[in-house]
Amino acid sequence: MPAKNLQVLLANRPTGWVKESDFRIVESDVPVPGDGQVLVRNLYLSLDPYMRGRMNDQRSYAAKVELGQVMTGETVGEVVESRNGKFQKGDTVAARAGWQHYALSDGNDLRKVDPSLVPISTYLGVVGMPGVTAWIGLNEIGQPKSGETVVVSAASGAVGSVVGQLAKAKGCRVVGIAGGPEKCAFVVKELGFDACIDHRGKLPAALAEATPKGIDVYFENVGGEVLDAVLLRCNPFARIPLCGMISQYNAVERYGVRNLVVAVGMRIRLQGFIVSDHMPRWPEALKELAQGVRAGTIKYRETVTQGLENAPRAFIGLLKGENFGKQLVKLT
Ligand SMILES: NC(=O)c1ccc[n+]([C@@H]2O[C@H](COP(=O)([O-])OP(=O)(O)OC[C@H]3O[C@@H](n4cnc5c(N)ncnc54)[C@H](OP(=O)(O)O)[C@@H]3O)[C@@H](O)[C@H]2O)c1
């Protein structure tokens, strides 16, 4: 065990695009667990778009990261010391342990995971929060029926890739929207979507061609011009789970959606959701997702960056679409 704990702190609140200088990397002592506490050594750190919001000082559904605090984030790690009866040295856990090598926990934010069931990295992706997000948003809000057309943006990413595969299993026509030919080829050939559109091309025309019967469910991950183009193709009573709008997270001036008026005449239901509001459904979702991964019916892709010191650069890359699948940082 190294004597020191490496940590990434929030150094500045960015305006517009995040910069590497908005983070500070420091060394501190490895903390010592007190009564009831567990010391976790993080093995993988998940980088997620929501972290951009935690860097801001504004009203949100979750607390912001304070300046000088360790950046918030989910990890998978191993218990290296335990003074809590529920955990033993050697347990593998999913934790909210932040951008650091070691963290203390009282156990309440730890979830024991089975390293023999699926690769441990997947507990941060397809069998973790992003996978559950896809499952909740699609099933609870999207409610697709066999034969309907489902469109999902950021289709090769952690959430979008699962959305499309779940919708396909329900007998839907599934169309992805992704950035670039390589991601689009993966979405169709590997994930089994019916079509995939490059959002950097002429989106309205490509969307019309790929959705000849219109759109019944649009799983929204990006916002901006993509949402505007999709609205024009929506069928009566279409459902739009508003999962995220990553195109707006670094925008100084937000994009004004032009075609929202269509939602009235088409009686479209747009509903935002946050996955952590649906904790009672997590076990069911995680079970189904783990089964799918084990059976090979749910495929996934990961971009693994080596070393915590490279996390800030990888996070900026995620916000710019440089990741291909779930963005992780390997810490060991
Ligand atoms: N509501 C919730 O509880 C919840 C939970 C988890 C995630 N989310 C949201 O779900 C969305 C996807 O998250 P994820 O973890 O799966 O990330 P991800 O899709 O793995 O990665 C982000 C992707 O967003 C796309 N993107 C970035 N900027 C874009 C732009 N300007 N226009 C179009 N696409 C852009 C890029 O893909 P391309 O290269 O394909 O464009 C990039 O790879 C995010 O909006 C996130 O905030 C919500």
Side-chain angles (χ1 to χ4, degrees):
M1 181 194 295
K4 291 291 178 186
N5 186 17
L6 201 66
Q7 300 177 305
V8 180
L9 313 181
L10 178 63
N12 291 304
R13 297 205 186 281
T15 306
W17 279 98
V18 183
K19 302 179 291 304
E20 285 191 57
S21 57
D22 294 327
F23 303 94
R24 189 165 65 249
I25 298 175
V26 297
E27 262 190 6
S28 63
D29 291 335
V30 176
V32 178
D35 267 354
Q37 286 189 316
V38 167
L39 178 65
V40 177
R41 178 185 181 229
N42 294 321
L43 302 173
Y44 283 95
L45 166 69
S46 175
L47 295 179
D48 295 273
Y50 79 80
M51 294 166 176
R52 177 63 187 84
R54 300 289 195 279
M55 300 173 82
N56 295 336
D57 185 6
Q58 66 185 29
R59 200 166 72 101
S60 176
Y61 63 95
K64 61 181 185 264
V65 178
E66 298 295 344
L67 289 175
Q69 257 188 358
V70 176
M71 276 296 292
T72 188
E74 284 73 31
T75 63
V76 165
E78 61 175 350
V79 173
V80 287
E81 222 180 310
S82 177
R83 296 188 61 190
N84 178 316
K86 292 186 189 144
F87 297 92
Q88 287 184 344
K89 188 175 172 182
D91 282 346
T92 306
V93 289
R96 280 199 295 275
W99 297 27
Q100 56 186 341
H101 281 171
Y102 291 92
L104 287 181
S105 167
D106 62 7
N108 289 329
D109 63 339
L110 300 185
R111 181 167 56 91
K112 275 191 214 178
V113 295
D114 182 351
S116 68
L117 192 64
V118 289
I120 59 167
S121 60
T122 64
Y123 289 114
L124 297 172
V126 55
V127 192
M129 183 277 282
V132 178
T133 302
W135 192 96
I136 298 278
L138 189 71
N139 291 327
E140 299 260 303
I141 303 168
Q143 299 178 6
K145 292 167 214 60
S146 180
E148 288 191 326
T149 298
V150 175
V151 173
V152 56
S153 48
S156 70
V159 175
S161 58
V162 178
V163 169
Q165 293 180 87
L166 294 178
K168 197 69 203 144
K170 289 178 189 297
C172 298
R173 173 172 174 78
V174 178
V175 177
I177 300 175
E182 203 192 342
K183 286 184 178 178
C184 280
F186 167 76
V187 163
V188 173
K189 291 188 188 132
E190 290 293 318
L191 302 182
F193 289 29
D194 296 289
C196 187
I197 298 166
D198 186 347
H199 64 78
R200 297 174 195 155
K202 290 199 169 64
L203 191 56
L207 206 51
E209 195 181 325
T211 61
K213 294 183 182 168
I215 296 170
D216 301 293
V217 177
Y218 170 52
F219 195 102
E220 171 64 300
N221 282 324
V222 306
E225 289 176 4
V226 177
L227 175 58
D228 255 335
V230 168
L231 278 167
L232 294 179
R233 295 290 308 157
C234 278
N235 289 329
F237 302 102
R239 287 82 66 198
I240 304 187
L242 296 172
C243 175
M245 293 200 178
I246 195 169
S247 73
Q248 303 304 298
Y249 296 173
N250 291 285
V252 177
E253 205 170 314
R254 287 180 180 153
Y255 178 91
V257 179
R258 284 189 281 262
N259 297 327
L260 196 57
V261 65
V262 169
V264 180
M266 289 295 149
R267 291 85 94 206
I268 299 168
R269 179 148 57 90
L270 298 102
Q271 189 182 329
F273 74 99
I274 295 296
V275 67
S276 52
D277 289 337
H278 300 261
M279 293 317 289
R281 307 289 321 261
W282 278 54
E284 184 187 351
L286 287 170
K287 192 172 164 205
E288 187 182 323
L289 294 164
Q291 278 169 352
V293 169
R294 271 174 77 83
T297 52
I298 299 181
K299 302 203 173 79
Y300 63 96
R301 183 161 175 150
E302 298 171 336
T303 295
V304 182
T305 299
Q306 182 63 48
L308 184 63
E309 61 282 7
N310 295 316
R313 195 175 316 142
F315 178 60
I316 295 165
L318 166 75
L319 295 170
K320 292 184 171 168
E322 287 166 13
N323 64 310
F324 196 156
K326 174 67 205 151
Q327 178 68 57
L328 299 164
V329 181
K330 193 166 186 299
L331 303 180
T332 53

